[in-house]
């Protein structure tokens, strides 16, 4: 359907005055709500006031400058925070505080405008520089004492560290994302920001406010951390808050232990509900301090602890989940994966036993003719000849035993000699029987029918036994796989969590996120299940950059432009894999033995999701359609087994079994396989009856030979392997015997290739394959016609 654009125009002077009042006005751009901006400005300024008040170890004053460093380059907000920090720091050394404010203002006016909001390192360095500048001036004003110089150095270092840790929390509050999924770094930063405010509250001179607000805020933060992180998070926040209060003079060491115990127990009982966690935070410090330091347990302090716990218990759940960013559950991936592995192995073994039992139903013991079958043959002969004979009563009643034995002997003679004549029959038969010719004809007809039935029955038994052998082979394969379930990879839980957080912040809500890599640290893969985009292409445009940033290496989307739908139609599954540093480009050139016939050779190239490349070449027996069918079957099976993750040697053995049992007549095909690891350049060559492979490197040619029979001849085969470490620019050549025989054998082919490639160097595998095939056709002199195929692959390193 074509789009139709409709535009409306009007002339203001032609419209009545009343009409002008109802004209649609241009919609102004949406701006942030002023009261929200004012609220957060007030929060940042209030935090600055409290952050500037604490004194670390009764001599250091780095917190105000560290907090102020988070707002360099923020314009009006910086000056508001600067005023709040200056107001709060007046309780400290006035001269030094004024120096810090002046140096920070100078940095803002000169260097601050070049700092972006997300540059945490630069902001922290500017804060440390302003702190050092103020400390040096203060030391000079005191006579340049080395002690004050050392204090200035320590304060600068603390400003740098604390300011850097504080950046993510401040940046998160400034952005106020719609989907606040907190990472651990952001959680630590927010707790540090809250701890600084708590330490500032502890410096208030009004005892009522100090003794009520400090425990109330501490209890709320402990419960929030325990709800999100569990035992470890509650205990860690308790230790952190207690330690911060202790070094800032806001509490004794016993308070540190009490808060850590309260947070730990709150995390222990979080599954019982918020009320249980609140009771743990209230009762644990009270009981502990009652025995250790009873002087802390003042009624106002205990009341503040209770108020903070009650506020947390009554806090709206939705707002609480938004603040906490979701609960983290403790996981034990090693145990979970081991259980999955054991369950899978057990299931594969059950499948193997089932196939073995099923194969037994197709295997029959040697068939022996029963007396019932022989009686049926004798009755058939009697029914055809003797039923309306006048001597039937005499022969089959009075002389039953002799007539039955004679007929059975005649059938036995036919079985051994093929036929029986009248002269081989007993004398009494020839003398008494009135229908000798008809009887002999009936014996031959019944026997021939029985022989045909027995032949077809034996063929049916052979087919059943063949099916049984195949089922038994499938059972053996499953049993072999059950012993190879040890996965050579690891799950990256932290990376998956970071990727999930990044996706949620971008408004993408994945249902499942898996990040894996091989144990050698290569081959990272990402599997995402998320809501289907309906063909909008967010998997390539929006998700891929986030995946690359979270994984930290180049990634590619498998089967780009195609979403794999999951169990539910509204979900799709995306697979990303690490892009290997090497690449293998291939090309094939071939010609048939006779014009108008298909080539009996088949070639394939595929690259797996783990950065593994496979070149394969197969030569079927003979030429024409039958040879093409055999080679095509071998290559197709190899591709299927490789993509399914089978070991290469096991895949070759299964292909050999398939060719061996596929038909009764003799069929075979060669297999020439080159497997390349695109991360390391390690190449592995496997051959079954194939000719030599060649590697062209820097003007010389390396030969890789093997002495094995083709697949489909022997039931048990041994796979020979040759290994090489490829280098940038190597050219690999796989070719069938039609090429090497035309040149004069494998040994002459190596020297011939060196001569041709040195005379005409080529970097394009397509040109190289076509050139080698064309030159080989010129060498064919004996008139022998055979299929000729050259598979060339160039190994090269990707440039950054």
């Amino acid at each position: 359907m074509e789009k139709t654009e409709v535009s409306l125009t009007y002339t203001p002077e032609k419209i009545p005055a009343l009409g002008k009042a109802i004209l649609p006005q241009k919609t102004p751009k949406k701006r942030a709500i002023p009261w929200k901006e004012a609220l957060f400005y007030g929060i940042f300024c209030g935090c600055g006031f409290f952050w500037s008040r604490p004194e670390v170890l009764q001599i250091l004053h780095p917190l105000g400058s560290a907090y102020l460093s988070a707002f360099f380059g923020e314009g009006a907000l910086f000056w508001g925070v600067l005023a709040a920090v200056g107001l709060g720091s007046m309780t400290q050394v006035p001269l030094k505080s004024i120096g810090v404010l002046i140096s920070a203002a100078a940095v803002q006016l000169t260097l601050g405008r070049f700092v972006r909001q997300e540059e945490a390192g630069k902001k922290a360095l500017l804060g440390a520089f302003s702190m050092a500048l103020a400390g040096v001036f203060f030391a000079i004003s005191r006579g340049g004492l080395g002690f004050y110089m050392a204090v200035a150095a320590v304060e600068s270092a603390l400003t740098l560290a604390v300011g850097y840790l504080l950046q993510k929390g401040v940046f998160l509050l400034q952005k106020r994302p719609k989907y606040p999924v907190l990472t651990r770094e952001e959680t630590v930063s927010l707790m540090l920001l809250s701890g600084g405010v708590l330490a500032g509250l502890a410096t208030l001179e009004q005892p009522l406010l100090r003794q009520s607000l400090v425990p109330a805020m501490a209890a709320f933060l402990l419960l929030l951390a325990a709800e999100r992180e569990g035992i470890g998070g509650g205990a860690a926040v308790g230790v952190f808050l207690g330690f911060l209060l202790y070094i800032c003079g806001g509490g004794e060491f016993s308070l540190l232990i009490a808060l850590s115990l309260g947070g730990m127990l709150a995390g222990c009982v979080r599954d019982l509900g918020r009320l249980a966690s609140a009771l743990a935070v209230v009762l644990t410090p009270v009981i502990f301090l009652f025995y250790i330091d009873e002087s802390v347990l003042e009624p106002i302090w205990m009341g503040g602890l209770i108020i903070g716990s009650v506020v947390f218990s009554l806090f709206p759940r939705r707002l609480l989940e938004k603040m906490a960013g979701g609960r983290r559950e403790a996981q034990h991936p090693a145990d979970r994966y081991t259980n999955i592995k054991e369950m899978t192995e057990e299931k594969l073994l059950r499948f193997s036993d089932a196939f073995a039992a099923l194969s037994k139903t197709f295997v029959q013991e040697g068939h022996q003719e029963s007396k019932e079958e022989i009686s049926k043959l004798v009755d058939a002969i009697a029914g055809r000849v003797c039923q309306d004979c006048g001597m039937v009563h005499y022969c089959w009643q009075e002389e039953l035993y002799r007539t039955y034995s004679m007929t059975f002997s005649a059938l036995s003679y036919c079985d051994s000699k093929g036929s029986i004549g009248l002269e081989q029959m007993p004398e009494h038969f020839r003398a008494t029987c009135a229908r000798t010719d008809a009887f002999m004809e009936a014996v031959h007809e019944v026997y021939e029918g029985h022989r045909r039935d027995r032949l077809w029955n034996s063929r049916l038994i052979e087919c059943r036994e063949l099916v049984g052998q195949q089922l038994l082979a499938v059972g053996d394969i499953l049993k072999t796989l059950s012993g190879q379930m040890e996965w050579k990879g690891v799950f990256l839980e932290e990376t998956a969590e970071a990727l999930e957080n990044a996706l949620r912040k971008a408004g993408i809500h994945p249902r499942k996120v898996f990040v894996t890599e091989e144990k050698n640290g290569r081959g990272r893969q990402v599997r995402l299940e998320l809501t289907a985009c309906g063909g909008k292409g967010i998997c390539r445009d929006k998700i891929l950059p986030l995946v690359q940033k979270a994984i930290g290496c180049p990634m590619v989307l498998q089967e780009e432009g195609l979403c794999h739908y999951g169990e539910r139609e509204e979900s799709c599954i995306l697979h990303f894999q690490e892009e290997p540093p090497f690449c293998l480009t291939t090309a094939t050139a071939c010609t048939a033995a006779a014009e108008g016939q298909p080539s009996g050779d088949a070639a394939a190239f595929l690259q797996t999701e783990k950065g593994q490349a496979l070149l394969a070449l197969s030569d079927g027996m003979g030429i024409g359609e039958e040879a093409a069918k055999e080679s095509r079957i071998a290559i197709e099976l190899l591709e299927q087994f490789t993509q399914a993750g089978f070991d290469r040697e096991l895949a070759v053995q299964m292909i050999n079994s398939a060719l061996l049992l596929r038909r009764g007549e003799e069929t075979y095909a060669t297999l020439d396989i080159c497997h390349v690891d695109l991360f390391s350049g390690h190449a592995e060559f496997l051959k079954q009856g194939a000719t030599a492979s060649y590697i062209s490197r820097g003007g010389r040619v390396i030969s890789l030979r093997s002495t094995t029979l083709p697949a489909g001849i022997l039931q048990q085969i041994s796979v020979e392997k040759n290994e090489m470490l490829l280098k940038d620019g190597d050219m690999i050549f796989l070719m069938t015997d039609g090429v090497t025989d035309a040149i004069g054998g494998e040994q002459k082919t190596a020297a011939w290739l060196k001569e041709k490639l040195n005379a005409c160097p080529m970097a394009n595998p397509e040109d190289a394959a076509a050139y080698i095939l064309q030159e080989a056709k010129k060498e064919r002199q004996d008139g022998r016609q055979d299929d000729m195929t050259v598979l060339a692959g160039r190994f090269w390193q990707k440039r950054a």
Side-chain angles (χ1 to χ4, degrees):
M1 181 182 293
E2 298 183 354
K3 295 183 179 179
T4 302
E5 183 178 354
V6 179
S7 60
L8 299 178
T9 60
Y10 67 92
T11 307
E13 58 270 11
K14 294 182 180 181
I15 300 177
L18 182 60
K20 291 183 179 180
I22 61 174
L23 286 175
Q25 301 295 325
K26 293 184 178 180
T27 304
K29 295 183 179 180
K30 292 185 178 180
R31 301 182 61 185
I33 302 176
W35 70 266
K36 281 190 175 182
E37 292 294 331
L39 176 62
F40 275 91
Y41 277 25
I43 292 175
F44 285 134
C45 294
C47 291
F49 174 82
F50 289 108
W51 262 76
S52 62
R53 294 182 63 84
E55 187 177 42
V56 180
L57 300 178
Q58 300 180 355
I59 194 172
L60 303 175
H61 307 87
L63 298 185
S65 181
Y67 181 82
L68 188 59
S69 67
F71 299 91
F72 279 124
E74 294 296 335
L77 180 59
F78 171 83
W79 300 109
V81 173
L82 179 70
V85 170
L87 183 62
S89 61
M90 288 298 103
T91 57
Q92 302 173 1
V93 182
L95 180 60
K96 190 173 185 179
S97 300
I98 294 174
V100 170
L101 297 177
I102 294 175
S103 60
V107 168
Q108 169 69 9
L109 293 174
T110 55
L111 302 176
R113 56 181 178 175
F114 301 107
V115 180
R116 293 194 300 269
Q117 193 177 43
E118 64 274 10
E119 292 179 329
K122 290 184 179 180
K123 290 183 177 182
L125 286 174
L126 292 179
F129 174 75
S130 62
M131 187 73 227
L133 195 62
V136 169
F137 282 126
F138 180 77
I140 294 174
S141 67
R142 293 299 177 95
L145 297 178
F147 172 79
Y148 291 105
M149 288 291 186
V151 169
V154 174
E155 287 180 333
S156 300
L158 290 175
T159 301
L160 177 65
V162 176
Y164 183 81
L165 293 176
L166 195 63
Q167 298 290 328
K168 288 192 175 182
V170 174
F171 182 76
L172 183 68
L173 292 178
Q174 286 178 312
K175 287 296 183 181
R176 299 188 293 280
K178 186 177 180 181
Y179 306 98
V181 181
L182 304 182
T183 63
R184 294 190 184 276
E185 292 80 7
E186 291 170 345
T187 303
V188 172
S189 183
L190 289 176
M191 284 299 169
L192 177 61
L193 180 61
S194 303
V197 175
L198 183 66
L201 289 174
T203 62
L204 294 177
E205 297 178 358
Q206 294 80 4
L208 181 62
L209 292 176
R210 183 178 66 251
Q211 295 183 9
S212 60
L213 293 179
V214 171
M217 185 175 180
F220 187 88
L221 293 176
L222 283 178
L223 290 169
L224 190 64
E227 176 67 17
R228 172 177 167 81
E229 300 288 347
I231 300 175
V237 171
V239 172
F240 171 75
L241 295 180
F243 176 75
L244 193 60
L245 290 173
Y246 177 73
I247 63 174
C248 293
E252 300 297 331
F253 189 80
S254 58
L255 182 62
L256 184 153
I257 302 176
L259 293 178
S260 61
L261 289 176
M264 182 179 64
L265 292 179
C268 289
V269 299
R270 67 168 179 169
D271 292 334
L272 300 179
R274 286 191 283 175
L275 182 59
S277 299
L279 290 175
V281 167
V282 172
L283 296 178
T284 302
V286 170
I287 296 175
F288 176 80
L289 293 174
F290 178 80
Y291 291 97
I292 301 300
D293 190 3
E294 190 177 355
S295 61
V296 180
L297 294 178
E298 297 182 4
I300 300 178
W301 191 89
M302 295 174 60
L305 203 64
I306 295 173
I307 290 174
S309 302
V310 170
V311 170
F312 177 84
S313 301
L314 301 178
F315 214 71
R317 179 172 296 276
R318 180 174 298 181
L319 184 58
L320 184 65
E321 290 177 356
K322 188 174 182 180
M323 293 177 62
R327 175 183 292 190
R328 299 182 187 270
E329 299 292 343
Q331 296 181 349
H332 303 282
D335 296 339
R336 183 171 67 253
Y337 304 143
T338 301
N339 293 336
I340 294 175
K341 170 180 171 292
E342 293 176 352
M343 292 172 62
T344 306
E345 288 181 349
E346 183 180 354
K347 197 166 187 178
L348 286 176
L349 287 175
R350 288 201 299 267
F351 285 161
S352 175
D353 295 339
F355 276 104
L358 185 60
S359 67
K360 294 179 180 178
T361 63
F362 288 88
V363 178
Q364 295 181 347
E365 297 180 357
H367 179 70
Q368 300 292 335
E369 292 182 346
S370 62
K371 293 182 179 180
E372 289 78 7
E373 292 178 345
I374 298 175
S375 298
K376 289 180 180 180
L377 296 178
V378 174
D379 292 341
I381 296 174
R384 289 188 180 189
V385 181
C386 306
Q387 188 173 4
D388 55 351
C389 181
M391 296 186 66
V392 63
H393 180 76
Y394 171 78
C395 295
W396 295 100
Q397 294 294 331
E398 297 180 6
E399 299 291 339
L400 174 63
Y401 178 75
R402 186 172 64 176
T403 305
Y404 189 92
S405 300
M406 178 196 66
T407 307
F408 178 74
S409 298
L411 291 171
S412 299
Y413 192 88
C414 288
D415 189 42
S416 60
K417 301 296 183 179
S419 63
I420 186 171
L422 186 61
E423 61 275 7
Q424 280 84 34
M425 298 298 291
E427 182 66 27
H428 68 86
F429 170 76
R430 287 180 289 177
T432 58
C433 182
R435 300 180 178 180
T436 54
D437 294 339
F439 186 86
M440 297 303 297
E441 184 179 356
V443 169
H444 284 101
E445 290 180 357
V446 170
Y447 171 73
E448 286 298 326
H450 171 68
R451 190 180 66 84
R452 287 193 301 268
D453 293 342
R454 189 171 60 181
L455 179 61
W456 283 108
N457 188 50
S458 64
R459 290 186 177 180
L460 180 60
I461 292 175
E462 290 178 0
C463 293
R464 290 169 62 91
E465 290 178 349
L466 183 60
V467 173
Q469 292 176 9
Q470 293 284 37
L471 291 174
L472 187 61
V474 173
D476 292 338
I477 291 172
L478 291 176
K479 184 178 292 185
T480 303
L481 288 178
S482 67
Q484 297 181 356
M485 288 301 296
E486 187 64 34
W487 184 49
K488 298 179 181 179
V490 293
F491 283 84
L492 304 179
E493 297 282 346
E494 294 183 357
T495 306
E497 181 183 340
L499 176 58
E500 183 176 0
N501 291 334
L503 291 172
R504 292 186 181 277
K505 287 182 178 180
I508 303 171
H509 298 274
R511 293 170 179 163
K512 295 179 182 178
V513 179
F514 294 102
V515 180
T516 62
E517 73 174 6
E518 300 296 322
K519 289 186 177 180
N520 55 14
R522 299 191 299 263
R524 293 193 175 188
Q525 298 185 50
V526 176
R527 182 180 185 274
L528 299 178
E529 181 179 348
L530 65 162
T531 304
C533 63
K536 297 179 181 178
I538 65 170
C539 52
R540 179 183 64 257
D541 302 332
K542 195 172 183 180
I543 297 180
L544 181 58
L546 295 175
V547 171
Q548 290 179 335
K549 184 177 181 181
I551 303 302
C553 62
M555 303 289 290
V556 292
L557 174 64
Q558 295 184 27
E559 299 184 25
E560 185 173 349
L562 177 63
C563 291
H564 303 275
Y565 283 91
E567 297 178 357
R568 294 174 292 182
E569 293 184 357
E570 66 272 13
S571 67
C572 67
I573 299 174
L574 301 176
H575 293 270
F576 300 87
Q577 68 179 32
E578 181 180 353
E579 187 176 7
F582 294 100
C583 187
L584 188 64
T585 308
T586 64
T588 305
C590 63
T591 181
E595 187 177 355
Q597 289 187 351
S599 173
D601 303 335
F605 170 74
L606 60 93
Q607 184 172 339
T608 67
E609 60 185 16
K610 296 183 180 180
Q612 311 294 311
L614 188 78
L615 293 85
L617 183 62
S618 178
D619 184 2
M621 182 185 70
I623 61 175
E625 185 66 34
E626 293 299 326
K629 186 182 297 183
E630 299 301 328
S631 62
R632 187 169 60 250
I633 289 175
I635 290 297
E636 289 176 355
L637 288 175
L638 179 63
E639 289 179 335
Q640 293 293 331
F641 292 148
T642 302
Q643 291 174 351
F646 282 86
D647 181 76
R648 288 177 293 281
E649 295 186 28
L650 181 60
V652 172
Q653 291 175 358
M654 289 190 293
I655 293 172
N656 178 76
S657 300
L659 294 178
L660 187 65
L661 301 175
R662 199 174 71 86
R663 293 190 306 179
E665 59 190 62
E666 181 182 2
T667 59
Y668 66 83
T670 66
L671 276 175
D672 197 356
I673 302 171
C674 175
H675 173 267
V676 181
D677 185 346
L678 297 180
F679 287 98
S680 63
H682 178 268
E684 183 180 77
F685 295 83
L686 294 87
K687 295 181 179 294
Q688 283 300 125
T691 59
S693 301
Y694 305 94
I695 300 177
S696 175
R697 174 185 297 172
R700 60 192 182 99
V701 174
I702 304 172
S703 301
L704 300 169
R705 298 186 178 91
S706 172
T707 56
T708 55
L709 293 175
I713 296 180
L714 299 179
Q715 185 172 2
Q716 298 294 332
I717 60 173
S718 60
V719 181
E720 291 189 10
K721 294 190 299 184
N722 291 299
E723 297 182 1
M724 287 285 295
L725 185 63
L726 300 179
K727 296 183 178 180
D728 185 19
D730 284 355
M731 186 80 77
I732 304 170
F733 292 97
L734 305 182
M735 54 188 68
T736 57
D737 58 356
V739 178
T740 57
D741 291 346
I743 298 172
E746 296 180 353
Q747 293 183 352
K748 291 184 179 181
T749 302
W752 182 86
L753 274 176
K754 180 180 178 181
E755 177 185 352
K756 297 297 180 181
L757 294 176
N758 288 338
C760 185
M762 295 181 182
N764 189 341
E766 184 177 0
D767 297 337
Y771 171 70
I772 295 300
L773 179 63
Q774 187 65 28
E775 294 297 316
K777 291 170 65 176
K778 297 178 182 179
E779 300 288 338
R780 190 164 52 188
Q781 299 177 354
D782 55 0
R784 179 175 176 268
Q785 299 294 320
D786 194 3
D787 302 312
M788 303 174 70
T789 301
V790 177
L791 175 58
R794 182 174 180 268
F795 180 80
W796 52 280
Q797 186 174 6
K798 299 176 183 178
R799 307 303 178 188

